[in-house]
Amino acid sequence: MAMPRPNDLFDRVPEWEDLSAFASAGGEGLRVAVVHGRRRQGKSYLLRRLAAATEGFYYQALEEEATPALERLGGALGAWLGVPGRRLALADWAAAVDVLAELHRGTTAPVVAVIDELPYLLDRVPELSSLLQRAADVSRERSQGAVRLVLCGSALSVMTGLLSGQRALRGRVACTLRVDPFDFREAASYWGVAGNWPVALRLHAIVGGTPGYRDLLGLDPPGHVADFGRWLAAGVCNPASALFREDDYLLAEERGLTDRALYHSVLSAVAAGNLSETKMAAALGRDRQALAWPLGVLLDAGFVVRDDDALRQRRPSYRIAEPIVRFHHVVTRPDLARFEEHRAAEAWVDAQQRFSTHVLGPHFEDLARLWTTRYASEETVGGRLARVGATQLNDPAGRSQMEIDVVGVRAGGSATVGLLGEAKSGSEQVGIAVLARLERARDLLATRATVARSVKLAVFSASGFDRTLLAAARRRNDVELVDLKRLYTGE
């Protein structure tokens, strides 16, 4: 299947519409937008297109000292303005910001100016935020011309920090956009594996929806699940590939993550299934309070996501946000020597259980919750849901705990459980026993929460359902079966 051109999907992303609206918004003076997102998400692609479509100015910063950076900016501005000699002499960064704020050139239409990779400049020119603040304030007083300045960067903690607390740009930013990866349905289309759902699921569990990875690998996706070993050996698990160290590159991009060994250790603990703060601390041999700082930094940088229990307060769990980071911490890093020696085929065979348990399983559960939130119809889930999550139940009779992968709480005045779901990513068809487990969970919940009489029981399976479960679902109105085809195409 031919891969779609990048703009087939980028033309439909909401960020493009929001950027276009910001660029064309009326009103005089300098207005600022902040665009951020993990690298390789297509931010620069979108912003270059925005500048080209509006005949605006685009400048991409590099890792360099302040003086050569100022000279490069002057050269880019001179070329865009048509200055003789094609270079604008800038005395300092205050002068550079003044020029950017006055790029309207006497026109009435808004002029777009893009500064990409802003964190590189902030490293060497920390006063730049204050200079931009002053320019924004002054432009309100002058009320002449219209400049739409877009500031973009991949270091999430730096970019989000621009707007926090007492930072200079707080209150001066008219538009804030985060460019996120494609979701699992968009990613299947982008990689050209729509219809090949088992491959689409595993591909998304490894590289997620980051569009830049497709071109970076330069490989066609696997044609079959059995081909993943060869595909990984040629790409993600190839020491010569840029993606082989992608987890290191992503951490290095965040300026605040200085103790890389510590942060990798926290990520490895989470990847291994230690999802609570107590279990993480035990895995690291640290006191729980000592874990608060590194965990907080990873949360702020977007590497770890906190998921609150759908029904119980103060029982959060944590998961790794970036599939490629989770994959490397589960599959590659524990067996790094063999992968570095180009013995990926045998290493991948030994990693199958780790991959199934700690990558594919949790990823499929995440997709089940996402599908319930974003794609399932109200008829499917038995009404409008206010939130969807997971929960853990105590089963006194069995002296055990029961984890429920998908819990849907209905909208309304009272928190009423309207849906309970189980997600199975294994290679075997799911049988009737899963319904008994969900019914047991429903009965346990009824003793401590409000449960709808018509609560729906949803079963998600990556390998389909056996005849007994299919027959039971046909007889009952409270059972919903979601296979991969329905997950990717249905509601």
Side-chain angles (χ1 to χ4, degrees), residues 6-13 16 41-42 45-46 49 182 211:
N7 60 336
D8 288 347
L9 281 172
F10 279 115
D11 280 339
R12 300 199 299 269
V13 298
W16 175 250
Q41 303 304 333
Y45 176 87
L46 287 172
R49 287 184 62 206
F182 293 147

Side-chain angles (χ1 to χ4, degrees), residues 256-322:
L257 275 63
T258 53
D259 188 349
R260 302 259 287 281
L262 171 61
Y263 295 112
H264 273 305
S265 296
V266 175
L267 291 170
S268 291
V270 178
N274 300 291
L275 307 184
S276 69
E277 294 177 21
T278 301
K279 290 183 178 179
M280 270 185 267
L284 293 173
R286 283 177 169 248
D287 183 84
R288 181 177 172 182
Q289 292 182 338
L291 181 69
W293 171 256
L295 184 58
V297 172
L298 288 170
L299 285 166
D300 290 342
F303 286 104
V304 173
V305 176
R306 169 182 167 139
D307 293 319
D308 292 319
D309 190 293
L311 301 175
R312 305 170 70 181
Q313 294 182 346
R314 297 186 299 277
R315 290 293 298 272
S317 62
Y318 298 86
R319 58 185 168 87
I320 296 177
E322 297 287 340

Side-chain angles (χ1 to χ4, degrees), residues 87-230:
R87 183 178 178 276
L88 193 65
L90 299 172
D92 51 29
W93 283 96
V97 171
D98 288 342
V99 172
L100 288 170
E102 297 175 0
L103 285 181
H104 48 81
R105 297 181 299 184
T107 64
T108 56
V111 173
V112 172
V114 176
I115 304 297
D116 204 355
E117 299 296 354
L118 179 72
Y120 290 152
L121 291 180
L122 293 175
D123 280 348
R124 295 292 182 260
V125 193
E127 71 273 19
L128 188 56
S129 295
S130 297
L131 294 174
L132 290 170
Q133 171 206 345
R134 186 194 66 179
D137 291 343
V138 169
S139 73
R140 294 176 184 175
E141 301 171 3
R142 293 180 178 176
S143 298
Q144 60 180 18
V147 176
R148 304 294 174 252
L149 178 62
V150 183
L151 308 174
C152 180
S154 301
L156 298 187
S157 58
V158 175
M159 297 305 295
T160 56
L162 289 174
L163 312 176
S164 63
Q166 302 300 315
R167 297 296 178 90
L169 285 176
R170 182 175 174 82
R172 275 84 173 180
V173 174
C175 177
T176 304
L177 292 175
R178 173 166 174 156
V179 179
D180 288 315
F182 293 147
D183 83 349
F184 66 103
R185 290 187 173 186
E186 294 166 336
S189 175
Y190 188 69
W191 278 87
V193 293
N196 192 349
W197 308 128
V199 166
L201 171 64
R202 286 158 179 80
L203 192 64
H204 195 261
I206 295 170
V207 297
T210 298
Y213 290 162
R214 192 188 75 175
D215 291 336
L216 190 66
L217 283 171
L219 298 171
D220 288 332
H224 190 273
V225 170
D227 299 330
F228 263 93
R230 289 188 293 273

